[in-house]
Amino acid sequence: MSQQAEFGDCECTRNDKTIVLRDVGSKNSQSKLKLVNSKQREIRIVKIDGCVIKAGKRCDTLVIFDWEDKELYVEFKGNKVGQAVEQLEETIKFIRSCRNARVKECIICTSRTPKTSTEIQKYKQKFKTSYQARLIVKSGQYSYPVS
């Protein structure tokens, strides 16, 4: 199976200089992830919620950077960081069964200020040890530089 067809109709490829992701079907319109793609590399965007995974806990989007062997898991949330963490964990476990990138990063974009930094630090450590993944929690719009 070619990488382009790995996720079928749930996947698209973009190479725009700026790619803005958001949870379209949500009340949470304040949270956005802006991929800053100055080299206009081909980026694979996979709709997880309702497409790849239709039931259970799952994150919103998976972004794949093939040239770096990197996966970026994205969840848009109001302020329920704990719930977002569970959704990211379940998605990583599911995706790991069919692919396992060398580098994993997870981003929670919230519309309101998230839980205390102590709780977030615990989540970050858990992702590092359990999934070899970096966890980023930001409120509002977050600009992610694509290398």
Side-chain angles (χ1 to χ4, degrees), residues 4-12 45-47 51-52:
Q4 296 307 101
E6 187 173 6
F7 293 100
D9 292 340
C10 298
E11 175 180 342
C12 70
I45 300 169
V46 182
K47 182 172 174 29
C51 197
V52 173

Side-chain angles (χ1 to χ4, degrees), residues 87-109:
Q87 290 173 260
L88 289 166
E89 287 179 303
E90 291 304 313
T91 305
I92 289 171
K93 291 174 190 173
F94 180 88
I95 297 297
R96 193 166 38 188
S97 68
C98 61
R99 62 174 285 126
N100 196 13
R102 183 180 54 81
V103 179
K104 289 184 217 39
E105 291 185 322
C106 302
I107 297 179
I108 300 171
C109 294

Side-chain angles (χ1 to χ4, degrees), residues 23-111:
D23 190 359
V24 179
S26 170
K27 294 178 270 181
N28 177 15
S29 61
Q30 298 171 358
S31 305
K32 296 176 190 168
L33 175 64
K34 183 166 89 172
L35 302 172
V36 181
N37 186 16
S38 57
K39 294 181 183 175
Q40 292 188 274
R41 295 184 181 261
E42 291 222 341
I43 297 172
R44 295 166 57 203
I45 300 169
V46 182
K47 182 172 174 29
I48 298 295
D49 188 3
C51 197
V52 173
I53 305 173
K54 295 184 178 167
K57 295 178 182 172
R58 67 257 187 209
C59 73
D60 293 310
T61 305
L62 170 64
V63 181
I64 301 171
F65 308 98
D66 285 316
W67 70 93
E68 290 185 297
D69 194 21
K70 181 194 278 187
E71 297 167 343
L72 178 65
Y73 295 82
V74 182
E75 176 59 28
F76 298 100
K77 240 343 141 208
N79 66 347
K80 297 178 182 173
V81 174
Q83 186 180 22
V85 164
E86 290 176 12
Q87 290 173 260
L88 289 166
E89 287 179 303
E90 291 304 313
T91 305
I92 289 171
K93 291 174 190 173
F94 180 88
I95 297 297
R96 193 166 38 188
S97 68
C98 61
R99 62 174 285 126
N100 196 13
R102 183 180 54 81
V103 179
K104 289 184 217 39
E105 291 185 322
C106 302
I107 297 179
I108 300 171
C109 294
T110 66
S111 59

Side-chain angles (χ1 to χ4, degrees), residues 108-126:
I108 300 171
C109 294
T110 66
S111 59
R112 293 183 287 286
T113 306
K115 292 184 175 191
T116 65
S117 60
T118 305
E119 288 175 272
I120 290 172
Q121 291 307 316
K122 287 180 186 175
Y123 290 137
K124 286 182 178 185
Q125 186 58 43
K126 179 180 183 182

